[in-house]
């Protein structure tokens, strides 16, 4: 019998190999991680590996799974501005800047959890897959995406897994008052951890290898922003109009970020998320018969006609933006801004939303209402924050559509709070335009 082979023990293996109970060769990255396409913690030489906490251990376990990608075919970027999907929406560079600013304003430090047991994460995952995922949409094909496709993708994208757990904890906070504080803390922890990696990811252009999980996390961010009162432990939005403008800016920023890939979305497993919200151009033509079977006010078309006349007659200024008013005489002056065009475009998208809701009958998706944000120019959003009467009139009418999804847990009560602040902030001479929205939101 030959001499026994010596065995060199080491405690310096990477966390991924430890979690999978494999011997790590301590290369940078290690051979096991390279072989199985796992992101190794030792990808940069010299990284120290502190003792694992329960939270980091659960993250390591999640990253050790390598599921098949959402779609094996990589789709090239296509020209932006598909009228069928986005209603001629154009990418807005300032929208991406606002998004990055919003994400940068989020907490850099990840709040600590009081729990010392990783079983709490399993509880959140179980709640997400059995309860929370079904509250994000009402179509069964879209529910399959939230319930099955996203969790599978999250196994190999830690920021996405954090997003799922943050959403689950937020939903539990809305359901269980006695556990509210605990779930809000858990949601804040996972959201901060997810956003930290997500910020680094989108600081560079999104590419074919990562656009699908980025889209998934972006969808969660919108829900998270909508649920601001819950995560703040409050019953109301702190400043409804300003908070809604922030949501509009985030929606636009995410749409600008994903613009090159939205045309490919319908050829992936994520397609139901688009199919339940976006309509083809020929479907945007209204039909009087379908309005009667929808949840829309029966006189919605009459009201839209009145809004068109209101925008046509409103005395918008035709002046230069503030940033261009200090140009010297030698500079070439740009054209004056046509504010009316911004408002007409917002009203056109309002009509598109009503058409989508009309065809949905009683099955209204949240995205059908929030899609209005894609049309709002920076000038329009600035006018909202300045409580400009024309902008507030359009926002008050949008509250009627928002009220149709009032039963959704992360948007509940928003339409009424928003309309109440509009009534306070609007110039008294325009309050007659709030009579119709108040009737359908407040019932009076």
């Amino acid at each position: 019998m030959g001499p026994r082979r010596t065995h060199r023990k080491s405690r310096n293996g990477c966390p991924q190999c430890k979690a999978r109970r494999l011997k790590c060769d301590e290369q940078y990255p290690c051979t096991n991680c390279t072989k199985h396409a796992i992101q190794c913690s030792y990808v940069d030489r010299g990284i120290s590996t502190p003792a694992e906490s329960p939270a980091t251990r659960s993250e390591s376990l999640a990253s050790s799974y390598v599921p098949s990608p959402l779609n094996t075919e990589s789709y090239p970027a296509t020209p932006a501005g598909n009228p069928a999907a986005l209603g001629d929406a154009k990418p807005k560079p300032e929208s991406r800047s606002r998004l990055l600013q919003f994400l940068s304003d989020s907490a850099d430090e990840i709040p600590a959890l009081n729990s010392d047991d990783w079983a709490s994460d399993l509880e959140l995952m179980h709640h997400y897959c059995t309860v929370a995922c079904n509250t994000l949409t009402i179509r069964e094909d879209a529910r399959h995406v939230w319930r099955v496709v996203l969790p599978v993708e999250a196994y190999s994208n830690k920021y996405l897994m954090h997003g799922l757990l943050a959403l689950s904890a937020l939903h539990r906070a809305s359901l269980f008052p006695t556990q509210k504080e605990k779930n809000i803390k858990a949601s804040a922890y996972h959201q901060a951890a997810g956003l930290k990696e997500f910020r680094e990811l989108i600081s560079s252009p999104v590419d074919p290898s990562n656009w699908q999980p980025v889209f998934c996390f972006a969808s969660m961010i919108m829900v998270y922003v909508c649920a601001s009162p819950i995560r703040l432990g409050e019953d109301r939005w702190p400043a409804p109009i300003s908070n809604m403008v922030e949501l509009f800016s985030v929606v636009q920023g995410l749409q600008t970020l994903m613009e090159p890939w939205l045309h490919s979305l319908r050829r992936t497993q994520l397609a139901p998320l688009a199919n339940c919200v976006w309509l083809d151009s020929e479907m945007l033509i209204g039909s009087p018969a379908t309005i009667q079977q929808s949840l829309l006010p029966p006189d919605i078309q009459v009201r839209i006609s009145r809004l068109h006349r209101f925008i046509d007659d409103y005395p918008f200024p035709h002046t230069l933006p503030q940033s261009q008013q200090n140009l010297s005489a030698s500079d070439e002056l740009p054209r004056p801004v046509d504010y009316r065009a911004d408002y007409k475009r917002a009203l056109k998208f309002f009509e598109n939303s009503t058409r989508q809701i009309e065809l949905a009958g009683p099955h209204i998706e949240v995205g059908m209402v929030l899609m209005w944000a894609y049309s709002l120019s920076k000038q329009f959003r600035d006018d909202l924050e300045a409580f400009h009467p024309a902008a507030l009139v359009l926002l008050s009418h949008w509250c009627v559509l928002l009220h149709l999804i009032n039963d959704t847990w992360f948007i509940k009560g928003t339409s009424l709070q928003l309309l109440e602040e509009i009534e306070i902030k609007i110039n008294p001479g325009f309050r007659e335009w709030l009579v119709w929205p108040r009737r359908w939101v407040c019932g009076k």
Side-chain angles (χ1 to χ4, degrees), residues 129-278:
C129 292
T130 58
V131 182
C133 62
N134 294 326
T135 68
L136 303 173
T137 180
I138 57 179
R139 282 181 48 152
E140 190 55 40
D141 56 348
R143 282 180 173 177
H144 174 78
V145 175
W146 284 103
R147 182 172 58 241
V148 178
V149 178
L150 267 67
V152 169
E153 185 65 14
Y155 296 152
S156 54
N157 293 277
K158 285 200 297 184
Y159 70 93
L160 193 53
M161 179 62 73
H162 281 301
L164 290 178
L165 298 180
L167 214 55
S168 178
L170 208 55
H171 185 237
R172 287 179 61 85
S174 71
L175 290 179
F176 308 116
T178 58
Q179 303 175 29
K180 189 173 184 178
E181 183 178 353
K182 168 190 171 183
N183 284 303
I184 289 176
K185 287 183 178 179
S187 179
Y189 165 78
H190 286 293
Q191 188 68 10
L195 280 176
K196 183 178 181 180
E197 185 175 342
F198 186 72
R199 281 198 301 264
E200 297 171 356
L201 186 64
I202 67 171
S203 61
S204 302
V206 179
D207 58 49
S209 68
N210 61 20
W211 75 265
Q212 294 186 54
V214 166
F215 175 84
C216 296
F217 191 82
S219 302
M220 296 177 194
I221 289 178
M222 287 190 283
V223 177
Y224 200 76
V225 176
C226 286
S228 292
I230 299 174
R231 58 191 176 92
L232 294 175
E234 303 291 342
D235 295 326
R236 299 179 59 86
W237 289 69
I241 295 176
S242 296
N243 297 145
M244 190 55 62
V245 171
E246 179 183 62
L247 173 61
F248 292 158
S249 299
V250 171
V251 171
Q252 275 207 346
L254 294 172
Q255 185 262 339
T256 301
L257 180 71
M258 299 305 303
E259 185 86 28
W261 312 102
L262 291 177
H263 302 80
S264 301
L265 189 61
R266 283 179 163 164
R267 292 178 286 173
T268 71
Q269 293 186 61
L270 301 175
L273 300 183
N275 295 338
C276 67
V277 174
W278 294 326

Side-chain angles (χ1 to χ4, degrees), residues 337-368:
V337 175
D338 184 4
Y339 294 135
R340 197 182 315 274
D342 290 344
Y343 282 73
K344 295 292 281 187
R345 187 168 187 273
L347 188 51
K348 173 189 173 184
F349 262 67
F350 180 86
E351 287 187 83
N352 290 350
S353 291
T354 60
R355 175 58 177 163
Q356 291 170 315
I357 294 170
E358 172 189 334
L359 291 175
H363 308 295
I364 303 174
E365 295 285 347
V366 173
M368 296 177 182

